[in-house]
Amino acid sequence: MNTLKCTTCGHVNNEGTTICEKCGKPLDNDQNGKLLNMRYDGTAIRSKTRNRSIVDKIWNFFSSVKVGVTLIAITLVASALGTIYPQQMYIPQNVDPAVHYEDQYGITGQIYYQLGFHNLYGSWWYLILVALIGISIFIVSIDRGVPLFKALKNQAIKRHLHFLKRQKYFVENTDVSEQDRTAFIQNLKKHRYKITEKNGHLLAEKGRFSRWGPYVNHLGLIIFLIGTLFRFVPFMYVDDFVWVREGETAVIPGTNQQYYIKNEEFIFETYGESDEDDIFQAALDRTNGPIPKHFETRATLYENVSTDVVGSEPELKEVKSGEIIVNEPMKINGLGLYQDSYQMNEFQTMTFKLHRADDEEEEAIVEFTVDLTDPQREYTFDNGYTIELNKYYPEYELNNGQPRSVSNYPRNPGFVFFVKGPDIEEQEASFLAIGQNIPSGDNQYKLGLADFTVRDVSGLNVKKDLTLPILGVGAFIFMIGVIQGMYWQHRRIWIHPDDNSLYVACHTNKNWFGFTREFEKMINETNLKMIEDQETKEKE
Amino acid sequence: MSKIEQAKQNKKSKKRNRFIFRTSILIVLFGALLFAVVSNLTAEEDAVVEVGDQAPDFQLEQIATDDSSTIQLSDLRGKGVMLNFWGTWCKPCEKEMPYMEQLYPEYKEKGVEILAVNLDSTKLPVQNFVDQYNLTFPILYDEHTEVLDTYGIKPIPTTYFIDENGIVVERVLGGLTVEKLQGYLDQIVPEGS
């Protein structure tokens, strides 16, 4: 049914066994035909046994190397297809991807988008593919690794003659002197072979651990995949961004309002400012515009210790302060704030002066400063004048003849001022913006920009990745597995005495040539014959 | 005879053990797969409050329409709440504001409150805006963008429609027409009013 009885020694083997576990006789009844397939040392692969239940069927599906290779091939093809058009993160921020791909690339772009190729690594089907590869690796390792381990651990020392005759490397020596035999064994020991003996039958073996290379490598891969899974756990992985203005405090995204960052000062240096940059003068003369040399954010990190509801005034406790420079992040609990980008010279305050329109000297009657971070409605003075800031547009543009602001920040401020004074009947209005000063009519008074201050905005990348150590460990174990399998070979030599012959058969899992070189050294100064390659003999 | 029995027994238990072993491993592996897929699909919107979620509570000061008080979302439990995130510089926000004002008195009667969370960096333009459109519903000022961060708001306008139990019924990214607005507001009218 599902056992195989060895005709020579009577040992009962599991179905699927190709070489008797006990005496090593080949069980395929092909007595002197082809060379033996030594994969898994002839043991029955677990999944090759009879399968009835659905669990067995699923198990066998995943334990197939063919299935694993197919999954990897599909994933490779999908990854390749994903490079045809740009991924979603590289298309403009302000477009709808659903429209963009079709617009840019036509019908193929639409298909690309529909199938989720625009966000390949986040698409559910790609993820499932990778996970299935992981499952396949895991199951195949158990399915094949365990029987192989057992087979090599309990391997028979004394092997049936048919077994030896059907190895790739085989030789029959006749009339071997005891001296040669011991010299040969000595040489084996010198070459670090472990020798076990049973009734004059010898097994010399070395490098068995290299057989575990693929399994160690798979273990590393599995750990690596588990690490990538943890990316989806919010406290393990954060990748976000925050703009923070000089003098302002912003909540750090991805921290559930626990941490705040204050931009104390943004420092920006360009080449050509100091004497040591003189050597670059020639190069600098060829460029138009300054070349950034160094920029950093002096920042203070706060923790919100208030337990009140979101939106109520946070209670900030200073945690640390210092510089954030490119490649030198500020870190807190595995969360890193990296200097990413900047916006220079955003207006912060503007100072205006009021003078008579007919005064050539433009002597100031009053002077006042509008704080653009918190503009006040009215500016009153002891001498009876009042300026009302009626309208304020942080980034002003004309839109169908009407001024409006296109953003939230004072990059190009526009103002409507009402001037009231002791000798003004109603009020006088004027519109001011950079390079513009438009009176509403025949005004006696005129406002002019006297001064302004600017500040910089620093863009910080918020990153947290606690999965890296897991990925590192996985990759390290992976490499150990690769080295184990690559640089060592598992070599075995069976020595079978019979009447007055001494049969020698060898097997190695790779580098047969290297093995013959070693064997030559081991029969040196003995009369033993060199092993013959039966595979090439077969072909002849 | 007993030997054969023994062998049969052995085989049976071996089979059973193998079944248990394989089943448990498959369950663990497919559990991990399921976790990966589900968390991946929700990771995109990690911090984002979605339909079906309990709307996170917050408290903000009112500006422009009523300078004197703060409003806490949980105090409005029992009413439907339309929570709108907006800024004065944003055109689609400006377009839908008159619709909100138009429908506000009617739905206030029916037990629905409108809260407009403003994201401007300064208050003066907000005041001008409110005066221009004669808005009467509460304007809340999210000065430290904490509520924005809590709700994970990316584009504005974004509008949440929250029922009387504080559960998000609808989330709308982008502007609303007056018909759509009316439809959504109808969905959050508290039962029995």
Side-chain angles (χ1 to χ4, degrees):
Chain A
M1 246 255 301
N2 48 12
T3 53
L4 273 173
K5 199 165 180 174
C6 176
T7 49
T8 307
C9 66
H11 179 75
V12 178
N13 292 288
N14 282 334
E15 185 195 22
T17 311
T18 55
I19 298 167
C20 176
E21 288 168 337
K22 193 155 180 249
C23 68
K25 181 175 182 238
L27 297 172
D28 52 6
N29 303 323
D30 183 357
Q31 301 250 327
N32 39 16
K34 295 194 175 68
L35 294 180
L36 278 175
N37 182 347
M38 289 294 288
R39 207 186 291 162
Y40 309 109
D41 252 38
T43 46
I45 303 299
R46 290 168 172 224
S47 63
K48 297 275 192 273
T49 55
R50 298 188 59 146
N51 52 11
R52 283 209 194 83
S53 68
I54 181 79
V55 171
D56 286 341
K57 283 198 165 70
I58 296 170
W59 184 269
N60 295 346
F61 174 79
F62 283 112
S63 62
S64 150
V65 173
K66 206 189 288 174
V67 167
V69 171
T70 309
L71 284 171
I72 291 170
I74 293 170
T75 311
L76 275 175
V77 171
S79 306
L81 289 174
T83 63
I84 292 176
Y85 300 133
Q87 289 288 297
Q88 190 178 349
M89 64 182 98
Y90 300 116
I91 66 171
Q93 290 285 322
N94 51 1
V95 296
D96 180 9
V99 180
H100 176 83
Y101 284 97
E102 195 184 350
D103 263 8
Q104 292 282 310
Y105 313 108
I107 183 77
T108 48
Q110 195 187 351
I111 294 167
Y112 185 87
Y113 174 79
Q114 295 283 348
L115 293 177
F117 279 106
H118 67 292
N119 182 12
L120 188 65
Y121 305 117
S123 71
W124 59 269
W125 58 265
Y126 189 86
L127 195 81
I128 286 176
L129 271 177
V130 173
L132 289 180
I133 291 171
I135 291 174
S136 167
I137 285 171
F138 192 85
I139 288 180
V140 94
S141 301
I142 290 175
D143 196 72
R144 290 161 196 254
V146 174
L148 176 67
F149 179 79
K150 282 186 176 165
L152 290 178
K153 193 168 185 284
N154 309 320
Q155 64 182 311
I157 294 148
K158 184 181 167 183
R159 295 277 181 157
H160 197 280
L161 191 51
H162 285 316
F163 173 87
L164 273 78
K165 281 183 173 165
R166 291 177 59 192
Q167 292 297 328
K168 182 172 154 74
Y169 283 169
F170 174 76
V171 71
E172 180 185 353
N173 296 285
T174 43
D175 300 322
V176 178
S177 68
E178 186 55 32
Q179 200 185 345
D180 279 353
R181 192 174 166 280
T182 40
F184 180 48
I185 292 167
Q186 276 308 319
N187 285 342
L188 284 172
K189 284 180 178 159
K190 212 159 60 189
H191 282 90
R192 302 229 176 113
Y193 278 84
K194 280 206 197 72
I195 297 180
T196 40
E197 187 187 4
K198 197 175 177 186
N199 319 339
H201 292 258
L202 292 172
L203 163 65
E205 182 180 21
K206 80 175 194 186
R208 190 196 291 179
F209 82 104
S210 106
R211 296 291 289 269
W212 316 135
Y215 303 98
V216 173
N217 163 321
H218 282 179
L219 173 74
L221 260 183
I222 288 160
I223 292 171
F224 192 95
L225 285 173
I226 288 170
T228 59
L229 279 191
F230 278 126
R231 277 206 161 191
F232 303 122
V233 183
F235 75 88
M236 297 282 285
Y237 185 78
V238 174
D239 185 1
D240 225 316
F241 190 88
V242 60
W243 285 110
V244 55
R245 289 164 166 72
E246 279 181 310
E248 298 214 335
T249 306
V251 62
I252 301 178
T255 63
N256 293 324
Q257 301 86 43
Q258 189 188 356
Y259 291 110
Y260 287 70
I261 186 90
K262 182 177 184 193
N263 180 346
E264 305 285 359
E265 191 190 1
F266 183 74
I267 297 165
F268 184 82
E269 293 164 8
T270 55
Y271 281 102
E273 286 174 11
S274 63
D275 296 344
E276 64 196 39
D277 295 340
D278 289 348
I279 44 168
F280 305 119
Q281 204 49 55
L284 287 169
D285 289 341
R286 283 198 299 273
T287 61
N288 21 1
I291 309 289
K293 180 180 181 179
H294 172 88
F295 53 93
E296 66 175 69
T297 308
R298 293 268 164 89
T300 310
L301 192 96
Y302 295 98
E303 185 175 4
N304 183 8
V305 291
S306 155
T307 50
D308 294 347
V309 66
V310 175
S312 50
E313 198 59 33
E315 202 180 314
L316 297 181
K317 201 175 95 220
E318 183 174 330
V319 179
K320 55 166 63 176
S321 69
E323 298 90 38
I324 302 175
I325 311 173
V326 179
N327 294 334
E328 291 178 35
M330 183 181 275
K331 289 206 157 164
I332 177 88
N333 287 348
L335 186 91
L337 291 158
Y338 292 81
Q339 183 66 57
D340 183 278
S341 40
Y342 50 83
Q343 295 169 26
M344 304 291 290
N345 304 335
E346 188 178 90
F347 290 103
Q348 186 174 10
T349 67
M350 284 193 163
T351 303
F352 299 94
K353 66 176 182 182
L354 182 74
H355 59 87
R356 297 195 66 87
D358 55 7
D359 178 7
E360 299 220 340
E361 296 291 310
E362 296 191 358
E363 194 182 324
I365 300 165
V366 295
E367 223 177 59
F368 62 100
T369 299
V370 181
D371 178 359
L372 299 182
T373 65
D374 186 19
Q376 297 304 302
R377 180 71 72 185
E378 292 217 318
Y379 304 85
T380 40
F381 303 95
D382 296 344
N383 57 7
Y385 289 89
T386 299
I387 316 279
E388 184 193 325
L389 173 51
N390 177 262
K391 293 270 194 312
Y392 163 56
Y393 308 98
E395 188 171 2
Y396 129 91
E397 261 183 26
L398 275 181
N399 186 278
N400 304 327
Q402 288 296 314
R404 69 166 294 138
S405 185
V406 293
S407 90
N408 197 3
Y409 297 107
R411 296 177 187 125
N412 180 25
F415 308 86
V416 174
F417 287 113
F418 291 165
V419 181
K420 300 163 191 165
D423 55 349
I424 303 173
E425 272 181 42
E426 278 274 322
Q427 55 188 24
E428 294 185 347
S430 39
F431 178 82
L432 270 80
I434 303 293
Q436 297 195 50
N437 193 338
I438 307 161
S440 64
D442 193 9
N443 290 357
Q444 313 174 49
Y445 289 92
K446 198 175 173 186
L447 278 165
L449 184 64
D451 197 7
F452 63 86
T453 61
V454 291
R455 63 174 175 174
D456 302 329
V457 192
S458 177
L460 301 174
N461 210 320
V462 183
K463 272 195 189 290
K464 179 183 190 179
D465 194 351
L466 300 183
T467 67
L468 280 177
I470 303 172
L471 299 185
V473 168
F476 186 73
I477 293 173
F478 177 99
M479 258 343 272
I480 288 176
V482 169
I483 292 164
Q484 213 175 316
M486 290 275 274
Y487 294 98
W488 281 271
Q489 299 101 39
H490 180 217
R491 293 172 175 177
R492 281 179 292 172
I493 301 169
W494 292 275
I495 300 165
H496 187 109
D498 198 13
D499 296 340
N500 55 359
S501 293
L502 190 73
Y503 299 99
V504 178
C506 309
H507 182 264
T508 178
N509 63 333
K510 54 162 70 83
N511 190 5
W512 293 86
F513 174 73
F515 188 43
T516 52
R517 298 287 304 270
E518 188 183 46
F519 196 85
E520 272 169 8
K521 283 182 196 150
M522 289 189 297
I523 54 170
N524 205 357
E525 293 168 15
T526 68
N527 292 320
L528 290 168
K529 285 192 225 157
M530 184 60 198
I531 39 174
E532 286 165 4
D533 185 343
Q534 306 204 94
E535 204 171 12
T536 49
K537 239 173 47 182
E538 244 179 27
K539 282 173 188 159
E540 286 158 14
Chain B
M1 204 55 191
S2 69
K3 238 186 179 172
I4 293 170
E5 295 261 303
Q6 190 79 43
K8 268 190 176 164
Q9 198 63 40
N10 271 353
K11 223 166 80 183
K12 248 191 174 154
S13 69
K14 229 178 167 172
K15 236 184 173 156
R16 203 193 57 230
N17 288 348
R18 193 179 70 203
F19 179 81
I20 292 168
F21 174 74
R22 289 184 177 186
T23 309
S24 45
I25 283 189
L26 284 172
I27 285 172
V28 168
L29 291 176
F30 276 92
L33 184 143
L34 205 66
F35 165 80
V37 172
V38 169
S39 24
N40 178 48
L41 293 179
T42 52
E44 292 291 312
E45 321 212 312
D46 186 22
V48 171
V49 180
E50 289 182 84
V51 173
D53 291 358
Q54 182 81 31
D57 194 17
F58 62 84
Q59 166 192 310
L60 287 175
E61 61 157 351
Q62 280 198 67
I63 57 164
T65 46
D66 170 8
D67 284 358
S68 59
S69 62
T70 61
I71 286 185
Q72 188 160 350
L73 182 66
S74 53
D75 292 346
L76 297 171
R77 197 56 53 80
K79 287 183 171 185
V81 178
M82 170 183 174
L83 181 63
N84 174 265
F85 289 84
W86 71 289
T88 57
W89 71 94
C90 140
K91 269 190 188 168
C93 307
E94 186 169 4
K95 204 174 155 211
E96 69 185 4
M97 279 284 174
Y99 307 149
M100 286 157 62
E101 185 55 43
Q102 181 191 326
L103 295 170
Y104 181 54
E106 179 193 340
Y107 281 92
K108 197 172 167 67
E109 282 292 300
K110 293 182 181 174
V112 175
E113 188 57 76
I114 294 181
L115 302 179
V117 176
N118 174 272
L119 303 164
D120 275 62
S121 55
T122 61
K123 294 179 187 175
L124 198 122
V126 186
Q127 184 66 60
N128 288 344
F129 187 96
V130 168
D131 293 346
Q132 185 185 343
Y133 289 101
N134 296 314
L135 304 179
T136 55
F137 48 81
I139 309 288
L140 304 176
Y141 192 51
D142 190 13
E143 192 173 5
H144 304 291
T145 62
E146 286 156 327
V147 179
L148 174 103
D149 188 51
T150 306
Y151 277 77
I153 303 295
K154 288 274 188 294
I156 57 168
T158 292
T159 312
Y160 284 91
F161 294 89
I162 302 162
D163 71 9
E164 70 267 32
N165 304 316
I167 304 294
V168 176
V169 180
E170 280 291 349
R171 183 184 71 186
V172 183
L173 308 175
L176 285 155
T177 61
V178 71
E179 297 83 16
K180 274 192 176 159
L181 182 57
Q182 194 150 13
Y184 289 131
L185 286 169
D186 283 333
Q187 285 186 45
I188 55 169
V189 172
E191 310 241 337
S193 55

